[in-house]
Amino acid sequence: MESFSLEGRTALVTGGNSGIGRAIVRLFAAHGASIGISHIGDAAGAQTLADELGANGTRVATTECDVTDAASVARLGAWGRERLGAVDILVNAAGISGETSFVDLSIDEWDRMMAVNLRGTFLVTKQFFADMIARKYGRVINIASQLAYKGTHDMAHYCASKAGVVGFTRALSYEGAPHGVTVNAIAPGPVETAMLASFTDAWRAMKFSQLPAGRFGESDEIAPTALLLASETGGAYFIGQTLSPNGGDVML
Ligand SMILES: NC(=O)c1ccc[n+]([C@@H]2O[C@H](COP(=O)([O-])OP(=O)(O)OC[C@H]3O[C@@H](n4cnc5c(N)ncnc54)[C@H](O)[C@@H]3O)[C@@H](O)[C@H]2O)c1
């Protein structure tokens, strides 16, 4: 079997309608996967992407889900099992960010960040993990951030949530690995998406100046790492890892 083929596999990508998630969806489809795209409030964007993939022969379906909401995620699980069949590959790409100094950070902002980035990853993974274990095959890929390691000012809530994702990934990998289910993460550096565009010019300039690569990254430079982790052969021996396409912002 070709190392990076996803033929016969089905992948569900939360936040698959935009940014890094969308690049992953396109690359997975190009490598033969059937695709589920979960979005929030972007039915048109998700459908446009689905139409693009469908025109190229990919089996694709879209649905809306708020990853913070247990009932909504339960509906995503039911939808996935009914419309997609077995979900072999789950990518938790849905996420939010925010820039607020710790002194000004409200409890609501903290809770919201944790709800989307950490609770969302937990809730969605919980919907599909047991089935993967039962089928003795699965790939869970969580999108963390290099800021989980490096930290930065005005983003204590974001950095804490992403460090939580790294820890969750490591811990869950112990429960998946004996059953053929790998759990890994990706910690991208700054990537030109709507999220990065939402940062202040001052933060972007500060981050830009720290990058050995001398530029921000592109979503298409992150997706191949997801393909590696998702693939049957190439990804099989990555267990609990967090891989770091990050422009050199963090070197581990
Ligand atoms: N862009 C970067 O510089 C960068 C760097 C490191 C990590 N990341 C991470 O990559 C992931 C994708 O971000 P992106 O940069 O592509 O930005 P993006 O804004 O394009 O994508 C984020 C996606 O998450 C979805 N989302 C937000 N809240 C949600 C909710 N409650 N329920 C369901 N979906 C929700 C959004 O609708 C969107 O589709 C995020 O987890 C982000 O933290 C991004």
Side-chain angles (χ1 to χ4, degrees), residues 9 56 73 77 85 96 119 121 135 142 154 185 193 200 217 251:
R9 298 295 182 193
N56 290 326
V73 176
I96 57 170
R119 175 183 159 92
T121 298
R135 290 197 315 276
N142 300 320
D154 300 342
T193 65
T200 58
M251 301 184 196

Side-chain angles (χ1 to χ4, degrees), residues 14-22 38-42 64-69 92-97 112 115-117 121 142-147 158 161-162 186-197 199 203 216-217 219 222:
T14 69
N17 55 302
S18 69
I20 292 169
R22 181 170 53 200
S38 139
H39 68 89
I40 187 166
D42 186 25
E64 179 152 23
C65 174
D66 178 352
V67 300
T68 69
D69 180 64
N92 288 302
I96 57 170
S97 63
R112 179 72 189 158
V116 179
N117 293 356
T121 298
N142 300 320
I143 308 300
S145 166
Q146 99 282 18
L147 295 177
Y158 182 80
S161 72
K162 293 299 188 178
I186 302 173
V191 176
E192 291 283 17
T193 65
M195 182 178 286
L196 189 64
F199 286 103
W203 195 94
F216 294 136
S219 294
I222 308 304

Side-chain angles (χ1 to χ4, degrees), residues 46-224:
Q47 193 54 50
T48 299
L49 179 58
D51 290 346
E52 170 195 316
L53 301 180
N56 290 326
T58 298
R59 184 173 156 257
V60 55
T62 71
T63 193
E64 179 152 23
C65 174
D66 178 352
V67 300
T68 69
D69 180 64
S72 182
V73 176
R75 285 193 293 276
L76 175 69
W79 173 86
R81 285 181 282 277
E82 189 188 315
R83 281 295 299 277
L84 304 177
V87 171
D88 305 296
I89 304 160
L90 170 64
V91 180
N92 288 302
I96 57 170
S97 63
E99 242 183 297
T100 308
S101 71
F102 186 68
V103 168
D104 294 329
L105 188 63
S106 69
I107 295 171
D108 282 351
E109 278 178 279
W110 174 274
D111 287 348
R112 179 72 189 158
M113 189 68 74
M114 292 297 159
V116 179
N117 293 356
L118 191 51
R119 175 183 159 92
T121 298
F122 155 69
L123 286 176
V124 176
T125 304
K126 201 154 169 54
Q127 281 298 321
F128 299 100
F129 191 73
D131 287 348
M132 290 178 179
I133 296 287
R135 290 197 315 276
K136 301 278 181 205
Y137 187 85
R139 299 279 185 265
V140 178
I141 301 166
N142 300 320
I143 308 300
S145 166
Q146 99 282 18
L147 295 177
Y149 298 118
K150 187 167 188 171
T152 188
H153 55 77
D154 300 342
M155 293 181 69
H157 51 340
Y158 182 80
C159 296
S161 72
K162 293 299 188 178
V165 169
V166 172
F168 171 73
T169 299
R170 288 181 181 144
L172 192 61
S173 73
Y174 283 90
E175 298 185 37
H179 307 285
V181 179
T182 68
V183 185
N184 293 287
I186 302 173
V191 176
E192 291 283 17
T193 65
M195 182 178 286
L196 189 64
S198 73
F199 286 103
T200 58
D201 289 345
W203 195 94
R204 285 170 58 96
M206 175 277 295
K207 180 49 63 186
F208 196 93
S209 72
Q210 295 177 348
L211 294 172
R215 62 179 178 82
F216 294 136
E218 300 292 336
S219 294
D220 288 343
E221 296 175 300
I222 308 304

